[in-house]
Amino acid sequence: MPTTNNLRAREQKLVLLAAGGTGGHLFPAQALAQALAGRGITVDLATDHRAEHYGTSFPARRIHFIKSETVRGRDPISMLRTAGLLGLGVLQAFSVLSRIRPRAVVGFGGYPSVPPMWVAALRHIPTLIHEQNAVMGRANRLLAPRVAAIATSFPRVLDRTPRLQAKATRTGNPVRANVISAAAIPYRLEADGVLSLVIFGGSQGARIMADIVPSAIASLPPELRGRMRIVQQARTEDLHRVRDAYAAAQVSAEVSPFFPDLPAHVARATLVVARAGASTVAELTAIGRPSILVPLPHALDQDQAENAKVLEAAGAAIRLPQEAFSPDRLARELAMLASAPQKLVAMAGAARAQGALDAAERLADLVTALMTKAQA
C-alpha cells in the first residue's frame, strides 16, 4: 500500500501529453511516454475520441478526452461551431489540469492539443510543443508564441521567425519501440536480384496507391516483374482489384488493409512507395530505406510536400507530386532504380543519416529540464 508521501511524490512527476487523435500525433507522443516512464515519470494523455483506436496501447495512466474542432471553413456557422467546441474544450481542460496538477504539459499538434496547452500556459505550468513536420502546423503556430519551449523534427523549421527559433531545439521525431527494433536490420540488396517493394498510403492515400501502383508494375518488362515482391496496404473495398491486378501480372504480392507491424516490412524492403506524412518520414529515416514519396496534395499547410522536399534534397527519396504520379511515370522510376542498385544503397544511407533513433530521449531531456527549471 503506497504511503501518502509516495503518492505525492508520484503526482509531482506527472506530465500531461496533449495530441490530436491520429497516428501522426499519437505515435511520437507514445514514444515520449515510454521514455518518460523509464525515468520514473507518470504520463496522462489529453486527446479526442479518434484516439480510441489506439487507446489500448498508449502507455498512459489515464486518457482524458477533450472537445475540440479543426477549422474546416470560414463561413459563420463553421466558425461558430469551431469556437463553441474549442470553448467547451477549454472548460474541460481547466477541470482536468486542476484535478491532476501536472508538472509540465507537452503538445504534439492537432486542434485537440490547443485547449490543454492554452490552459497550461494561462496557469503558468511549463509547456513545450513538438512539431513533427518540416513546416509548422496551424495548431502549433497558434500555440508557439505562448509556450516555454519548442522541439522540432526537422532543421530550419523556424528560420523565418527568430523569436520562436530562440526557444527551439531540434530533437527529431520520436519513433516507437518496434521502429527502433526494425532499424537494427541493415539495408541490403538480395543476391538473386529480388526487389521487395512496400507500398502504403495511410487513410488518405491508400486509394491512389491502389489505382496507380499495380498498373505501373504490370507495365514493366516480364523479367523485371518476375523479380518483384510486393507488400501493399489497400482499403478493404480495393483488395480484390489490387490482388487480381497482381495475379494477372504474375507478380508475388501480399495485399492487406492493415499490417500489425509495418516497420518490420519496411525494414525488409528494397524500396518504399508512400505518402510523406511525419510518421512515415520519421520511420523511413530511422530504419534507413529509400523511397518514392507522393505528398498528399490538398493539405492546408502543405506539410507532406515540405517533408518530401527535405528527403529529396538529402538524396534519400524521389518526390513525385500527385499530378505526376501516373503508371507510366512510376514504371520509369522503378525501372531506373532497378537498374541502378548502387543508387538504392546510397539513398538508404542518406535516409539513415536523416534519422534520429534517440529522438524520444532527446525530447524527454527537454521535458525534464523544463520541469527542473520551473522547480528551481
Side-chain angles (χ1 to χ4, degrees):
M1 187 83 178
T3 67
T4 301
N5 286 340
N6 285 340
L7 287 173
R8 286 176 179 165
R10 290 179 62 187
E11 288 172 357
Q12 289 174 353
K13 291 185 176 182
L14 174 66
V15 171
L16 178 66
L17 307 184
T22 62
H25 299 304
L26 287 171
F27 291 160
Q30 178 179 332
L32 175 62
Q34 291 165 339
L36 291 174
R39 303 180 186 208
I41 297 172
T42 302
V43 165
D44 275 13
L45 172 68
T47 186
D48 66 274
H49 281 283
R50 293 174 300 170
E52 289 176 325
H53 178 69
Y54 307 94
T56 55
S57 62
F58 198 97
R61 181 195 67 164
R62 188 172 299 135
I63 297 178
H64 309 275
F65 293 105
I66 303 291
K67 293 286 186 183
S68 69
E69 177 68 14
T70 300
V71 178
R72 301 184 188 279
R74 296 292 179 182
D75 59 282
I77 293 176
S78 296
M79 296 296 287
L80 282 171
R81 174 179 168 79
T82 299
L85 286 174
L86 284 172
L88 180 56
V90 168
L91 292 175
Q92 290 177 321
F94 263 111
S95 175
V96 168
L97 269 66
S98 297
R99 187 169 67 253
I100 68 173
R101 298 182 180 277
R103 288 272 304 279
V105 182
V106 183
F108 285 86
Y111 274 92
S113 72
V114 171
M117 297 299 299
W118 193 289
V119 172
L122 285 174
R123 298 186 60 156
H124 304 291
I125 299 170
T127 51
L128 182 155
I129 55 173
H130 180 273
E131 177 53 60
Q132 294 94 54
N133 293 293
V135 59
M136 187 165 276
R138 288 167 294 162
N140 275 348
R141 285 204 304 269
L142 179 66
L143 294 166
R146 297 166 175 82
V147 300
I150 300 170
T152 66
S153 297
F154 292 88
R156 297 181 294 279
V157 175
L158 297 170
D159 275 2
R160 296 182 181 179
T161 50
R163 186 167 58 90
L164 298 180
Q165 179 61 44
K167 56 182 176 181
T169 302
R170 186 191 178 193
T171 61
N173 197 359
V175 293
R176 296 166 294 162
N178 60 345
V179 178
I180 294 173
S181 297
I185 300 172
Y187 183 73
R188 65 175 187 177
L189 299 174
E190 300 293 340
D192 57 3
V194 167
L195 296 171
S196 298
L197 268 63
V198 174
I199 301 109
F200 57 95
S203 60
Q204 300 182 84
R207 174 63 185 270
I208 194 168
M209 296 299 174
D211 291 343
I212 301 297
V213 181
S215 297
I217 290 173
S219 72
L220 293 170
E223 182 277 330
L224 182 51
R225 285 203 314 270
R227 293 194 283 129
M228 294 281 184
R229 300 291 182 271
I230 308 296
V231 171
Q232 181 161 348
Q233 178 199 50
R235 303 182 310 166
T236 302
E237 55 265 43
D238 295 327
L239 284 178
H240 290 301
R241 71 182 178 99
V242 173
R243 287 171 178 164
D244 290 347
Y246 285 127
Q250 298 182 308
V251 174
S252 173
E254 180 183 356
V255 185
S256 174
F258 177 72
F259 292 98
D261 192 0
L262 187 59
H265 286 288
V266 170
R268 293 191 290 269
T270 312
L271 177 70
V272 173
V273 182
R275 288 297 197 187
S279 290
T280 295
V281 168
E283 294 178 8
L284 285 172
T285 56
I287 299 169
R289 294 298 179 266
S291 58
I292 295 174
L293 297 178
V294 186
L296 186 70
H298 305 304
L300 290 176
D301 300 313
Q302 287 299 299
D303 50 334
Q304 292 200 14
E306 295 301 318
N307 296 346
K309 285 178 184 177
V310 172
L311 264 63
E312 178 185 49
I318 294 170
R319 177 177 60 94
L320 287 183
Q322 186 160 303
E323 61 268 22
F325 188 53
S326 66
D328 287 346
R329 175 66 184 276
L330 179 60
R332 291 200 302 272
E333 298 292 350
L334 292 174
M336 180 273 293
L337 290 171
S339 67
Q342 291 311 308
K343 180 174 177 63
L344 286 168
V345 172
M347 290 172 69
R352 177 61 70 93
Q354 293 293 308
L357 286 175
D358 62 345
E361 294 298 332
R362 292 187 193 180
L363 188 55
D365 287 342
L366 275 184
V367 175
T368 53
L370 202 63
M371 293 164 64
T372 301
K373 182 178 178 181
Q375 194 176 22

